[in-house]
Amino acid sequence: TQLLEQSPQFLSIQEGENLTVYCNSSSVFSSLQWYRQEPGEGPVLLVTVVTGGEVKKLKRLTFQFGDARKDSSLHITAAQTGDTGLYLCAGGGATNKLIFGTGTLLAVQP
Amino acid sequence: NAGVMQNPRHLVRRRGQEARLRCSPMKGHSHVYWYRQLPEEGLKFMVYLQKENIIDESGMPKERFSAEFPKEGPSILRIQQVVRGDSAAYFCASSDWTGGSYEQYFGPGTRLTVT
C-alpha cells in the first residue's frame, strides 16, 4: 500500500516567517502534486513536479521533488495570512489515481 | 473558462435512500475521478472513468456504490441505501494529458449528510 506522510501535521507561525512542509513515502511516484484546500472547498492545484530533483518556484513558494521521486518539500518564504490553509501532497502513478498525503494545517497569524 | 462543476453542494438523505452526485468536468477534459473525504480523514481515491468506461474502481466499496460517465452529460456517483457511515465530502476531479502528467483539477465537492 502506498502511503504519503506529511510533516508537520499542524503549524502555527507569525506573518513574515519562513516554513517548510515535508511529504515522504517509501514508494516511487511518477508525479507529485501539491494542493491547498480551504474549509468547505475542493483542493486547488498549486504545482506538479515530475522529474527527480526538480525545483519549481511559484512566487514565495518553492517546491522540490526528491531525486528518487519518493519525497517532496514545500517551502514558503515570508508567510502571509492568505497562506493559511490545509496543504496536501498527492502522488500520481501509472493508473492516474492520486494517493493523498496526511495533510499539513498551516495557520499564519497577523 | 468554467472549472469542474459539482452539484448539489449539499445533500441530506435519510438512511436507506439513494444519493446521486453529479460532476461536469472542465471543458476539454475526458478523464474524471471521484474521491471521498471522511471526517477527520484524508482524501481517498474511489474511481477513475473516461467516457463510457471505468478505468480503475479499486477504491470503490464493493456494494451500494456505482459510477458512470456517459457519452453525453455529467459523471454520476450513485450511492444506494445510504448509511450514516457514507456521510462525507465527495470530490470530483478532471484531467487531461499535459505532457508530463495528468494534472487533476477538483470541484468544490458535495457534502453528503445521512440522517
Side-chain angles (χ1 to χ4, degrees), chain B residues 14 44 46-47 65 96 99 110 114-115:
Chain B
R14 290 201 181 104
K44 304 286 186 200
M46 298 181 75
V47 63
F65 285 71
D96 207 347
T110 293
V114 179
T115 61

Side-chain angles (χ1 to χ4, degrees), chain B residues 17-30:
Chain B
Q17 290 185 319
E18 179 179 284
R20 279 185 182 240
L21 288 62
R22 286 176 290 278
C23 168
S24 296
M26 282 179 73
K27 190 175 180 181
H29 284 187
S30 57

Side-chain angles (χ1 to χ4, degrees), chain A residues 93-104:
Chain A
T95 61
N96 293 354
K97 71 182 183 187
L98 290 177
I99 307 296
F100 275 86
T102 46
T104 294

Side-chain angles (χ1 to χ4, degrees), chain A residues 30-31 33 35 37 39-43 45 47-48 50 56 86 88 95-98 100-101, chain B residues 9 31 33 35 37 42-43 45 48 56 58 91 100-109 111:
Chain A
S30 57
S31 68
Q33 302 179 17
Y35 292 84
Q37 186 178 20
E41 297 296 330
L45 179 65
V47 79
T48 300
V50 298
K56 278 194 176 177
L86 177 66
L88 296 163
T95 61
N96 293 354
K97 71 182 183 187
L98 290 177
F100 275 86
Chain B
R9 291 292 306 271
H31 305 256
Y33 314 80
Y35 294 83
Q37 191 170 38
L43 275 154
F45 168 81
Y48 163 33
D56 182 348
S58 57
F91 292 97
S101 67
Y102 287 88
E103 291 187 330
Q104 295 186 24
Y105 294 87
F106 282 77
R111 274 138 193 92

Side-chain angles (χ1 to χ4, degrees), chain B residues 8-71:
Chain B
R9 291 292 306 271
H10 299 275
L11 183 61
V12 180
R13 285 285 178 267
R14 290 201 181 104
R15 277 180 298 170
Q17 290 185 319
E18 179 179 284
R20 279 185 182 240
L21 288 62
R22 286 176 290 278
C23 168
S24 296
M26 282 179 73
K27 190 175 180 181
H29 284 187
S30 57
H31 305 256
V32 165
Y33 314 80
W34 287 92
Y35 294 83
R36 177 165 68 173
Q37 191 170 38
L38 290 163
E40 308 305 321
E41 290 189 24
L43 275 154
K44 304 286 186 200
F45 168 81
M46 298 181 75
V47 63
Y48 163 33
L49 310 102
Q50 292 182 25
K51 285 285 187 182
E52 300 184 279
N53 286 306
I54 296 175
I55 308 301
D56 182 348
E57 57 181 346
S58 57
M60 285 278 269
K62 293 288 183 274
E63 296 175 352
R64 304 187 297 107
F65 285 71
S66 62
E68 63 176 12
F69 188 17
K71 190 176 179 182

